[in-house]
Amino acid sequence: MAEVRTVTLPSGARVPALGQGTWHMGDDPARRAEEVRALRRGLDLGMTLIDTAEMYGSGAAEELVGEAVRGRRDDVFLVSKVLPSHADTRGTVDACHASLRRLGTDRIDLYLLHWRGSVPLRETVEAFERLVSEGSIGSWGVSNLDTDDLAELPDGALPATDQVLYNLTRRGPEYDLIPRCRELAVPVMAYSPVEQGRLLGHRALAAVATAHGKSTAQVALAWVLRHDDVIAIPKASTVAHVEENRAALDLRLTAEDFDALDRAFPPPTRKQPLDVL
Ligand code: NAP
């Protein structure tokens, strides 16, 4: 199996192009052990970027991530997020410290604003800068910000990423957001890359998957990963799904595959407001 390809963040940090999501992990105590095993298997396979948020399970996902990375924290690039309702100066710092406690670590590598709320972006960025100075976070970024929101970030403030909904059924970002981020050399992080599973029964996807002897999830991920500067963070709560997703990195789609997928999931021809989940 080839090494996991990396994507370079504006800080120069190199992170795996394929990471692991955690939304809804930690919700069901009966599934906890398997979820921890799945995340650890992903780490073993080089999917060392883990995405979580204070919102997920009201902290339960962060606690589960803390358990999964115990003893191997330095091998992991941890991403978490502050809720917009906490994103004022004091609230951001307090929320980060609470996340650190749940994660059982003294550093979040990348801390994101989960989506834009009523707090001015400038205020949240100031709080992020303070967290960088005190060493609580390595860098900061944003999520669910469209191109016009990015333009409202304070002068000189460059996020490490914009984490947005992007998959075959949500191609809007290709029109302007991905190109804009590319101009800024800010990698996009694609969330819900398999559309939370809803995409996986699609006929056109199945045809491509069958031709390669792969699964539809692997084709959907390989399609997102066709960009050099997009990171995908599927959530998989079983070891089998994690192993399958990891193998998507080795799948090379052909020009014919891309054409077939374009016919079934047409690329945007005009601006579409950013979808969110
Ligand atoms: P997703 O990754 O597109 O889909 C997750 C679903 O797909 C789960 O039901 C999972 O099942 C299933 N799955 C994964 N791999 C599979 C495979 N190989 N074969 C079949 N099914 C497979 O959706 P998501 O969880 O919404 O998005 C991923 C991550 O992005 C989240 O977990 C979260 O970290 C982040 N996110 C961020 C935002 C934001 O606003 N910033 C919003 C949504 C999500 P199992 O669990 O059974 O493996």
Side-chain angles (χ1 to χ4, degrees), residues 188-199:
V188 162
M189 200 179 286
Y191 75 70
S192 309
V194 301
E195 186 64 18
Q196 300 185 323
R198 290 181 291 275
L199 178 54

Side-chain angles (χ1 to χ4, degrees), residues 21-23 51 56 81 114 143-144 163 191-197 200 217 233-238 241 244-245:
T22 63
W23 194 13
D51 177 77
Y56 301 162
K81 315 184 195 78
H114 207 148
S143 178
N144 296 304
Q163 183 182 114
Y191 75 70
S192 309
V194 301
E195 186 64 18
Q196 300 185 323
L200 301 180
I233 48 166
K235 172 255 190 182
S237 47
T238 66
H241 281 169
E244 191 176 315
N245 294 348

Side-chain angles (χ1 to χ4, degrees), residues 42-66:
L43 297 181
D44 293 340
L45 293 173
M47 295 155 68
T48 53
L49 182 152
I50 297 184
D51 177 77
T52 189
E54 62 165 334
M55 187 190 92
Y56 301 162
S58 301
E62 287 182 325
E63 285 172 1
L64 182 130
V65 170

Side-chain angles (χ1 to χ4, degrees), residues 22 43 101 134 152 155 168 180 187 230:
T22 63
L43 297 181
R101 279 193 296 277
E134 72 178 31
E152 283 185 50
D155 281 350
L168 273 164
R180 178 61 189 142
V230 173

